[in-house]
Amino acid sequence: MSGSNAPHILIVEDSPTQALQLELILDGQGWTSTICGTAEAALAALTHLHPDLLVVDYHLPRMSGDEFIRQLRLNAVTRPLPVIMLTDEATAEAEFKGLESGADSYLPKSADADELVLRISGLLRRAAGSGPGSSGLAAPSLRASRLLIVDDSPTFLEYLRLLLQEEGYEVVALQSGLAAAALVQQESFDCIIVDLHMPEIDGVALCAKLDAIRRRREDLFQIVMLTASDSKTDLMRGLEAGADDYVTKGNDVEIIKARIRALVRRKRLHEENLRISMEFRRKEQELERTRDEVRLAEARASLVEALERSNRELAATNAKLTQAQVELTRAKEAAEAANQAKSEFLANMSHELRTPMNGIIGMNALLLSTSLTPEQRHSAELVGSSAKLLLGLLNDILDVSKLEARQVKLEYLDFDIPALFAEVVQLMAPKAAEQGIELVLDIAPAARTRAISDPMRLRQVVLNLVGNAIKFTNRGGVVVAVRLEGDAGIPLLSVRVTDTGIGIPKEAQARLFDKFVQADSSVTRRFGGTGLGLAICRQTMELMDGHIGVDSQVGAGSSFWFRVALRPVAEPAPTAPPPAELVGRHALLADPSPLVTAALTADLESLGLQVDTLSLEPAASAPGVVAADLLLVDARSLTAEQAAALRQRFPSAALIALRPIGSVGDPVDVELADAALDKPVLHDMLRNTLLAVLTGRPLPVAAPADPSPCREEPGSSGHILLAEDNYINQQVALHMLTGAGFTVDIVGNGAEALAALGRGAYDLILMDVQMPVMDGVEATRRIRADEGPGRHIPIIAMTAHAMTGLEESYRAAGMDDYISKPVEYQAFLTKVRSWSGRGRAPDAVAATDPAPPPGIDEAAILQIQALMPPPQFTTLMGNFLTNSRQRLARVEAARLSGDLGALGHDLHDLISTTGSFGCRDLVVLGREVEAALRAAQPDPALTRLTDFCTAAGHALSYLEERFQPVMG
């Protein structure tokens, strides 16, 4: 070091030329420096050298720059040192790795010398501010880091606030720079993020004001300049004003988060350095007092001996602690390596198991589509059901493994609570019908709303609980009760699935949620299964910070429940009052199941009706009942004689038949009933049917189920390139595609796919991911790099891997969609048809398959279709289109009459249901109408309502045409 007061910089750079350039730049500022060519040499130098800051190259021989920084942060002596990482690899991934390793700042080597000097000056200034002369701060707080965001854009402000809150920060968001400066005078923050361009005070001036506050208070908070522009001038101005870092809004989200983590980490290191300095001073004072005491007690040999013995014991304890820390570090590294090995094993196991499963399921589906004798068809169906059971077991094992490896990330979405549970009971209704039991959905009025959570995970838990309840119940039924508790700020979803099945012994309940555990594990058990479903439910609830449990009694049934907190939507829809046409009406209910009677009575009463039970015994009559408007009777009890008797007793009442579960679409004799409701009875269908029979409106129609298991769509055409190295998988895809009318070329790896594209044009590429010579991801990257303007060939990834995060990497490489093996026949063809033709010339596309209008996300519909068998999807899509047309007609009538008060529930239902089916623009328009109505602004409401009706008509027409082949 040339001078005791000049800052000393340690340069870790293996290039002599680069190192010399850095030394000259530092010398020009009056700073001294030492150069080390490797990370190992730098670690050795740090045993006797005490630099003020380090400049580290990313690419170093043997030990890389990021690993070197990690070594620094593990050492208590070198941990507080400021570090700047320099590299010629200006990629987001490299920057992310550098910041995550512990670097305080990251600069490409192409950056100007002025920027490097400013970055070093800022870090030296912060480091000097955290020395022994700073204000007396306590030890580092265990609280969450506290951030302040200042940005005049409310949209970006809210986006960044939510993003950082998910990282665990406590975030305060302000749109005013002056308000932020005032708040910093009163409260403490770890990091302040400042937008460059703001109306009251620009970001540079605000940085200067905040830096002055920081200096005056000797505070350690970090300042980040954030702007949409990538201007060197703005960068230099911000750093000169006191900003510690400069981040553009266009950066990758992970880079923004990593930079903020690095700054917060730097502040915490400053605080820890201060704490250590104060502790050192305190220890020095204590040591001085001890020396005084020792001098006073020199004559007392016994005390000296005791003190020496204490020192020896302390040294031994310190050695043990050091050894324990080393062992703990080794154990942590071993655990991380084991977790990585487990993840790799799961990915490989998934691929190796799913590849032959694809051949079994695919070939069997093709076999079932041919002409077979009854005995052959029965055998093939047994093969198919056995293969699907095996696939379900594989998926359960992978789900448990992914949950244990913490590879499952929650995806918080706005979803409709009633729609989610209605979908579950509709999916499980066929299984309940096979058991001959009732399946009842009981949703409290308060729970008929929207909320924010992970609907896919909730659906998985409910499907598991309902499936178990049906499996262990052979009489009575299963009730799915949904309640919404708590306040509006933190709504609590409470779900209880109750059955009348065999019950669970008390001693088995404690271990019921463990893996591979069943209440009856004997070799004579009556019920199959792996015992993984409830373990998945428990781990999913733990991931969502929820709770799950069971109440059960042998012989009386079981009640599984879970509770999980939801997030409220920003603008909850107002609760619609019961329809005026139903309020005060009198309904009589006759159903042999008390489960159906209880739930249906509560549903009817929530619609404003008075409800009494009705006995169908010949001598019975309803005491005190003189008239009724509605009769709801189980269809199995409704004979011609019984119907005639009821019409005679209640001549003015409408008679509605409650069709048994599993008989969806069966016609109802008009001589017996005026309408029919399918079990499980859903709230919207109940309300619409009652309104129809009382007002004369058209009855809602449920589309009939499609009996054909593998009906093909005529007229499919297109030239498809299949890149797949497995012969069985080639044959499965080839037979499926050629049978649907496509022409197919097959290649065995990515390199052959590139060669095939050079010889001819294709409408679609089905690309396996794991192939020899060149894998599918690399082939996709090269295809995208070679594509000319206006040309984009759709590429669908086909893979047997099923681990979290892979789909995102495929899309990042340029793939348009993703199919997991083993493929399901109809879902596979549906996805292929939806993409084939999008890569053709514009005229050809228009002649074959209409493109979705703007604002329609077909992926949402295809996702629903993939979740259920074709007959259930046909029923669901038919109900949606029919009911939406009826609701739109009523909304249009209210618009033409100017009676906005008559919109009622129809407008809200259209917004909710069309949003679930991918109509995003309709949701936006509908909410604008509702907002105008709440603000009592009829003219804007009518204008937006006109736009809504027009857009809804176009969207429904497109969906009818697009999915007409599926619906028949």
Side-chain angles (χ1 to χ4, degrees), residues 339-621:
N339 191 49
Q340 179 63 27
K342 180 178 181 180
S343 299
E344 294 173 357
F345 169 75
L346 287 174
N348 291 331
M349 183 184 72
S350 168
H351 182 272
E352 295 304 321
L353 290 177
R354 285 173 177 269
T355 296
M357 286 297 296
N358 184 56
I360 296 171
I361 293 177
M363 284 300 186
N364 193 67
L366 290 171
L367 179 62
L368 284 169
S369 68
T370 64
S371 298
L372 301 174
T373 66
E375 182 178 357
Q376 290 171 333
R377 180 167 295 280
H378 177 67
S379 299
E381 288 173 348
L382 287 178
V383 171
S385 60
S386 299
K388 289 180 179 178
L389 286 174
L390 182 58
L391 181 60
L393 171 61
L394 171 63
N395 289 334
D396 283 347
I397 294 174
L398 288 174
D399 278 344
V400 168
S401 302
K402 286 189 286 187
L403 285 165
E404 288 182 343
R406 300 187 181 277
Q407 289 189 340
V408 175
K409 294 183 179 180
L410 299 177
E411 184 177 8
Y412 287 93
L413 302 172
D414 182 339
F415 75 102
D416 186 82
I417 296 176
L420 184 146
F421 286 92
E423 177 188 328
V424 170
V425 296
Q426 285 179 310
L427 284 174
M428 302 306 295
K431 290 188 177 181
E434 292 175 5
Q435 291 283 88
I437 61 175
E438 297 285 357
L439 178 58
V440 179
L441 180 59
D442 177 15
I443 303 181
R448 297 191 190 111
T449 184
R450 303 186 69 83
I452 296 174
S453 186
D454 189 327
M456 187 184 75
R457 295 297 163 190
L458 289 177
R459 185 186 295 108
Q460 183 184 31
V461 172
V462 179
L463 281 170
N464 261 313
L465 297 183
V466 175
N468 275 352
I470 293 173
K471 180 168 66 174
F472 293 101
T473 304
N474 55 17
R475 58 174 179 80
V478 175
V479 178
V480 182
V482 185
R483 304 290 183 266
L484 202 62
E485 303 169 354
D487 54 33
I490 308 178
L492 185 68
L493 180 65
S494 176
V495 179
R496 186 173 287 271
V497 179
T498 304
D499 64 65
T500 57
I502 60 177
I504 304 170
K506 193 73 175 177
E507 60 273 12
Q509 294 179 24
R511 54 189 175 85
L512 199 59
F513 292 95
D514 295 336
K515 296 188 294 294
F516 306 107
V517 169
Q518 288 191 327
D520 179 11
S521 58
S522 66
V523 295
T524 59
R525 62 183 180 148
R526 296 157 49 202
F527 304 99
T530 62
L532 289 174
L534 292 178
I536 292 172
C537 292
R538 174 182 60 82
Q539 291 182 317
T540 301
M541 280 295 105
E542 291 174 353
L543 183 67
M544 302 180 75
D545 294 327
H547 302 279
I548 190 169
V550 61
D551 304 313
S552 183
Q553 183 177 351
V554 175
S558 304
S559 181
F560 285 84
W561 56 267
F562 69 84
R563 296 185 182 90
V564 62
L566 306 177
R567 300 177 185 176
V569 294
E571 295 185 8
T575 302
E581 297 91 339
L582 300 182
V583 175
R585 297 293 188 121
H586 192 195
L588 297 178
L589 176 59
D591 192 281
S593 170
L595 303 178
V596 174
T597 300
L600 196 51
T601 297
D603 216 354
L604 290 166
E605 289 176 347
S606 72
L607 291 171
L609 287 92
Q610 301 175 18
V611 186
D612 288 300
T613 56
L614 172 66
S615 174
L616 298 180
E617 295 297 327
S621 61

Side-chain angles (χ1 to χ4, degrees), residues 502-843:
I502 60 177
I504 304 170
K506 193 73 175 177
E507 60 273 12
Q509 294 179 24
R511 54 189 175 85
L512 199 59
F513 292 95
D514 295 336
K515 296 188 294 294
F516 306 107
V517 169
Q518 288 191 327
D520 179 11
S521 58
S522 66
V523 295
T524 59
R525 62 183 180 148
R526 296 157 49 202
F527 304 99
T530 62
L532 289 174
L534 292 178
I536 292 172
C537 292
R538 174 182 60 82
Q539 291 182 317
T540 301
M541 280 295 105
E542 291 174 353
L543 183 67
M544 302 180 75
D545 294 327
H547 302 279
I548 190 169
V550 61
D551 304 313
S552 183
Q553 183 177 351
V554 175
S558 304
S559 181
F560 285 84
W561 56 267
F562 69 84
R563 296 185 182 90
V564 62
L566 306 177
R567 300 177 185 176
V569 294
E571 295 185 8
T575 302
E581 297 91 339
L582 300 182
V583 175
R585 297 293 188 121
H586 192 195
L588 297 178
L589 176 59
D591 192 281
S593 170
L595 303 178
V596 174
T597 300
L600 196 51
T601 297
D603 216 354
L604 290 166
E605 289 176 347
S606 72
L607 291 171
L609 287 92
Q610 301 175 18
V611 186
D612 288 300
T613 56
L614 172 66
S615 174
L616 298 180
E617 295 297 327
S621 61
V625 175
V626 295
D629 301 294
L630 294 161
L631 305 176
L632 292 91
V633 182
D634 183 71
R636 291 166 291 190
S637 306
L638 197 60
T639 64
E641 295 78 9
Q642 190 63 259
L646 288 173
R647 292 192 184 279
Q648 185 176 3
R649 286 174 60 189
F650 306 98
S652 61
L655 180 57
I656 300 175
L658 301 177
R659 280 193 291 231
I661 192 169
S663 60
V664 176
D666 289 352
V668 175
D669 192 338
V670 295
E671 299 297 329
L672 297 183
D674 300 301
L677 278 170
D678 298 315
K679 296 181 183 179
V681 179
L682 303 180
H683 179 79
D684 287 349
M685 185 61 72
L686 173 65
R687 185 193 65 227
N688 294 338
T689 301
L690 297 184
L691 286 172
V693 298
L694 290 176
T695 63
R697 298 175 184 172
L699 285 169
V701 179
D706 186 351
S708 61
C710 295
R711 176 168 49 83
E712 296 182 1
E713 297 180 15
S716 297
S717 64
H719 195 186
I720 295 177
L721 176 62
L722 172 64
E724 167 67 65
D725 64 314
N726 183 277
Y727 175 75
I728 298 297
N729 290 340
Q730 288 177 353
Q731 295 305 305
V732 170
L734 178 65
H735 284 80
M736 286 183 176
L737 294 170
T738 55
F742 295 99
T743 58
V744 182
D745 290 344
I746 299 177
V747 294
N749 56 61
E752 293 178 3
L754 293 175
L757 282 174
R759 293 190 298 267
Y762 294 92
D763 301 299
L764 174 67
I765 302 175
L766 298 176
M767 183 77 73
D768 185 26
V769 173
Q770 187 170 313
M771 294 184 291
V773 184
M774 182 186 293
D775 61 58
V777 175
E778 178 60 26
T780 300
R781 291 195 185 101
R782 297 195 184 187
I783 291 171
R784 295 301 182 222
D786 293 340
E787 279 181 335
R791 177 64 173 167
H792 181 88
I793 303 175
I795 301 177
I796 299 178
M798 295 182 64
T799 179
H801 282 297
M803 301 306 289
T804 301
L806 292 179
E807 182 176 355
E808 291 80 359
S809 66
Y810 300 156
R811 293 188 184 277
M815 294 179 173
D816 299 284
D817 211 334
Y818 168 89
I819 295 175
S820 179
K821 300 175 188 174
V823 299
E824 196 279 319
Y825 184 66
Q826 287 293 339
F828 172 65
L829 289 182
T830 298
K831 184 162 287 191
V832 168
R833 290 187 179 106
S834 71
W835 283 104
S836 64
R838 298 192 188 186
R840 305 174 195 165
D843 293 341

